[in-house]
Amino acid sequence: AAAAAAQDGGGGSGVKRTVFPGGPPGGAVNIVIDNGANQAAADLGADLGAAVSPICSDRNFEPGATRLRDLIARRPDGIARMRHPGDDALMPLAEPAAGAGIPIIHVNVDVPEVRARFGSGDIGADLCRFGSAVGQEAPRRAGDRVKAGDQAVVMSRWESADRSLRGQGTADLREQAGREAIRLQKADGASSDTMPQLPSLTAAVLSNPGVRIPCCTGAQHPTVVPADRQAMGKQPGDIIGVGVDLGPGVTSAIAQGYAPVTGDQQPRLQG
């Protein structure tokens, strides 16, 4: 179907696309998103040059909102953007976009209130169910290394209900089963650099001897970097890292036994 669309022009001839992946430039997930967007541009016969000019916000709320505001001011034909600060922050931006006739597709993180008001679309997983599934799979993969009464550190952007859905799904699953979930705030900048998160994560693990599962998000996250486990004096199997997405750090952690499971939201297909 893609080949046929490309052969026929795909309805995309002359249409220029700009990718708004939302994360750090060159980030592990961003590259996958960009590759998917480039493939879509090629399949549809669109202008590939614009598709490889991503707008990045390092997943920080205010830079992301500013870049979206600037993009709306350019009056594009449409916008597809990855990750955002949620319904409350996006609503003031979605209104002028709708007034200018610019449709927005929200990718990876849903904004149901914005969609209900302006009729925009969403591409991605049900993140609460996704977090629950990852949290359920982790102890199954860990086997007897996780026992009743063990604690879990669940790290997320808890200040945003929309951005913490994955963590909420994992925490809810544990608490419903009578197991403790220690909610740890994800540090600013930790999406692109693991170091800002290391002190608080290390403190949470070492001050709670019952922690066996740190559950966090992101292909660049410290829960799936073996060096961080070693900094805590932990060997493979002492604690069971759980991450989201794939990348060199994640696959290395799995190979070395530090992380038995990760979940992937298919960012190439989303792009």
Side-chain angles (χ1 to χ4, degrees), residues 181-192:
I182 302 168
R183 288 169 168 80
L184 185 64
Q185 177 68 17
K186 187 174 180 179
D188 288 338
S191 294
S192 56

Side-chain angles (χ1 to χ4, degrees), residues 39-194:
Q39 184 64 58
D43 290 345
L44 296 172
D47 187 321
L48 188 60
V52 293
S53 300
I55 299 174
C56 299
S57 63
D58 206 15
R59 299 193 189 101
N60 289 328
F61 293 172
E62 185 54 38
T66 299
R67 284 162 174 76
L68 178 59
R69 190 179 298 111
D70 293 343
L71 185 57
I72 292 171
R74 299 180 201 172
R75 292 294 192 270
D77 296 315
I79 299 172
R81 64 184 315 268
M82 299 287 292
R83 302 178 178 87
H84 43 75
D87 278 303
D88 291 342
L90 191 60
M91 193 72 76
L93 299 174
E95 187 166 4
I102 305 171
I104 300 180
I105 296 294
H106 307 286
V107 185
N108 190 258
V109 180
D110 192 13
V111 277
E113 293 178 18
V114 170
R115 288 196 298 105
R117 182 171 175 183
F118 299 110
S120 52
D122 168 64
I123 298 174
D126 180 323
L127 295 182
C128 195
R129 292 179 60 190
F130 184 93
S132 178
V134 172
Q136 188 172 22
E137 184 69 6
R140 191 184 77 80
R141 294 290 182 100
D144 58 7
R145 289 179 291 176
V146 176
K147 300 177 175 61
D150 287 346
Q151 299 169 301
V153 172
V154 184
M155 188 181 302
S156 191
R157 297 297 296 260
W158 296 108
E159 77 277 20
S160 169
D162 299 289
R163 289 287 295 274
S164 62
L165 285 172
R166 285 188 304 208
Q168 193 66 51
T170 304
D172 286 349
L173 174 77
R174 289 190 57 83
E175 290 169 349
Q176 289 165 7
R179 295 188 172 188
E180 185 177 0
I182 302 168
R183 288 169 168 80
L184 185 64
Q185 177 68 17
K186 187 174 180 179
D188 288 338
S191 294
S192 56
D193 181 3
T194 63

